[in-house]
Amino acid sequence: MPAPATAPSPLAPPAPSPRSRRLALGVLATGMLMTVLDGSIVTVAMPAIQGDLGFTPVGLSWVVNAYLIAFGALLLLAGRLGDLIGRKRMFLAGTAVFTAASLMAGLATSPEVLIAARFLQGAGSAMASAVGLGILVTLFTEPRERAGAIGVFSFTGAAGASIGQVLGGVLTDALTWNWIFFINLPIGVAVLLVALPALPGDRGLGLKAGADTLGALLVTSGLMLGIYTVVKIETYGATSVHTLGFGALALVLLAAFLVRQATARNPLMPLRIFRSRSVLGANLVQMLMVAALFSFQILVALYMQNVLGYSAAETGLAMLPAAAVIGLVSLTVSARLNSRFGERKVLLAGLVLLVGVLGLLTRVPGQADRADYLTDLLPVMLLAAGFGLALPALTSLGMSGAKEADAGLASGLFNTTQQIGMALGIAVLSTLAASRTESLTAAGAPGPEALTGGYHLAFAVGAALILVALAVAVTVLRGPKSSPRPVTAEPRTPLAAR
């Protein structure tokens, strides 16, 4: 006589259907697109914002810095809180904060209000972004499906940056700069309405499982101060008292946080997460790769406009082939390659292509009449397909070593290292490029050639960073002897109730 079927636990939600998982992926990707668009769309509208609100040149930088500091500093904390109180709750709260702050930014009539709104946007973006990958890996547990979902998620981020540059120029020219913020309102409301039924509910572990208030204060203040120090290097210099003093204080705070996590009964960030070679190696590689690719994402656009004389719209169109090949590879090829050859090999192949991207850029001509898009820049855009290979593989590796209870933390950590890499790339590569340009100008080089010489140095340093990332990937990201245990979506009883 067959045994009677076991009744499902009343605490366990029904397994999501393929349709509901696709809908949830669409919600997460749209939320990601909204925050990435906001990061790139603002840069194009900066001159209009300055003229309308009366920003000083120094004050204008805080339109970007306020967002970066809040976003980068709160990612780790938001990711862990998502594990504790529920990742769906954190995503919904972050999207709501971001949407409300976008309305506040669009209605701003003074520099102070806009800066405050940008800080709130960064906080909301951190809350939503920190748990996005954590939700994704609990929904897609089969390796092939997960690879495809991560490919979609990765493409959204890459495409958003390119679309933002074009859309920012169009909205600012056709309407006003206010609309670069107002456009977030219908997107944010739609994401909230669809996310409520689409995202799986999770109770979280409970605050008592990691309610480390002191640790939260240490890591948030340390990251905030560290990112502030990095973004101000260009203003004060790398060896100034300001940079060295605040940088040292940030390191002390972060070191104290690590000591606290090693000794606290309920740590905010259990250090066990770094025992995984995949998590540790993937985060190191990502930091180096993102720092290097700042020279591609930003400096190439500056080269086109300042040396070749392209308009903002022409620059956006010239970079569209890169977004197209990244999207094509991310959505159609990366998942199959990861499944067949493994994420590590695909990552290595992507990094090799990215070395080619930056290597070719070290040879772009310094005079507009000697440059040809088809031979000098189009090959660079096509080799950017390496980003479509590297990022999905890197994301899979960065999340593969995390247990279900730490999925939000691993997601927040992965996003944090991305922001740190971006800040370092902006500070280091832009400073090197400016310094080289100044020395060439002083030596009598014409303006376009001096600018190109500065860009060449930044591209070369970026290529060197990718080579270091390759070395880390080879030595740290060794192939696992057995497939990692997938993260499951089974509910966990909160520790507080055990």
Side-chain angles (χ1 to χ4, degrees), residues 167-190:
L167 188 60
V170 171
L171 288 175
T172 302
D173 290 342
L175 300 170
T176 64
W177 64 264
N178 311 76
W179 284 92
I180 68 173
F181 299 113
F182 288 149
I183 196 174
N184 293 328
L185 301 183
I187 302 175
V189 170

Side-chain angles (χ1 to χ4, degrees), residues 74-84 87 126 130-131 407-409 411-412:
L74 294 174
L75 278 166
L76 195 60
L77 176 61
R80 186 54 176 166
L81 286 177
D83 289 332
L84 300 179
R87 289 183 281 273
V131 296
L409 173 62
S411 175

Side-chain angles (χ1 to χ4, degrees), residues 401-418:
K403 298 178 181 179
E404 196 274 337
D406 297 330
L409 173 62
S411 175
L413 177 64
F414 195 75
N415 281 285
T416 299
T417 56
Q418 185 178 89

Side-chain angles (χ1 to χ4, degrees), residues 42-52 60:
V42 170
T43 58
V44 181
M46 295 281 272
I49 291 173
Q50 182 179 19
D52 193 14
L60 185 65

Side-chain angles (χ1 to χ4, degrees), residues 41 123 133 139 149 151 193 200 224 227 294 319 422 427 439 447 495:
I41 204 172
L133 280 174
L139 279 172
L193 292 177
M224 194 171 291
I227 294 172
F294 162 77
M319 296 188 74
M422 185 184 301
S439 64
L495 295 180

Side-chain angles (χ1 to χ4, degrees), residues 204-284:
L205 299 171
L207 287 174
K208 291 184 179 180
D212 180 12
T213 305
L214 177 58
L217 289 173
L218 287 171
V219 70
T220 303
S221 57
L223 286 172
M224 194 171 291
L225 190 58
I227 294 172
Y228 163 77
T229 303
V230 169
V231 299
K232 300 302 287 184
I233 285 177
E234 190 173 0
T235 301
Y236 291 97
T239 58
S240 67
V241 174
H242 180 279
T243 299
L244 296 178
F246 280 108
L249 181 56
L251 291 176
V252 169
L253 289 171
L254 293 175
F257 168 71
L258 292 177
V259 172
R260 170 69 180 175
Q261 300 315 288
T263 57
R265 182 177 180 182
N266 293 314
L268 180 72
M269 186 183 76
L271 297 183
R272 64 174 179 269
I273 195 170
F274 294 109
R275 296 174 188 166
S276 166
R277 295 175 69 98
S278 295
V279 171
L280 179 62
N283 279 279
L284 288 173

Side-chain angles (χ1 to χ4, degrees), residues 281-369:
N283 279 279
L284 288 173
V285 170
Q286 177 179 232
M287 190 182 302
L288 292 163
M289 184 179 77
V290 171
L293 289 178
F294 162 77
S295 61
F296 172 74
Q297 294 171 315
I298 304 297
L299 296 185
V300 168
L302 292 176
Y303 167 76
M304 289 181 186
Q305 295 183 54
N306 295 336
V307 177
L308 303 185
Y310 285 22
S311 67
E314 288 171 337
T315 300
L317 291 173
M319 296 188 74
L320 278 182
V325 296
I326 291 170
L328 183 65
V329 171
S330 298
L331 296 175
T332 64
V333 178
S334 63
R336 284 181 285 180
L337 293 178
N338 287 336
S339 178
R340 181 171 181 180
F341 299 106
E343 289 88 351
R344 179 176 176 270
K345 291 181 179 179
V346 175
L347 171 62
L348 294 176
L351 290 174
V352 168
L353 290 178
L354 293 178
V355 172
V357 167
L358 296 174
L360 287 177
L361 285 172
T362 63
R363 305 182 62 180
V364 291
Q367 297 176 9
D369 57 359

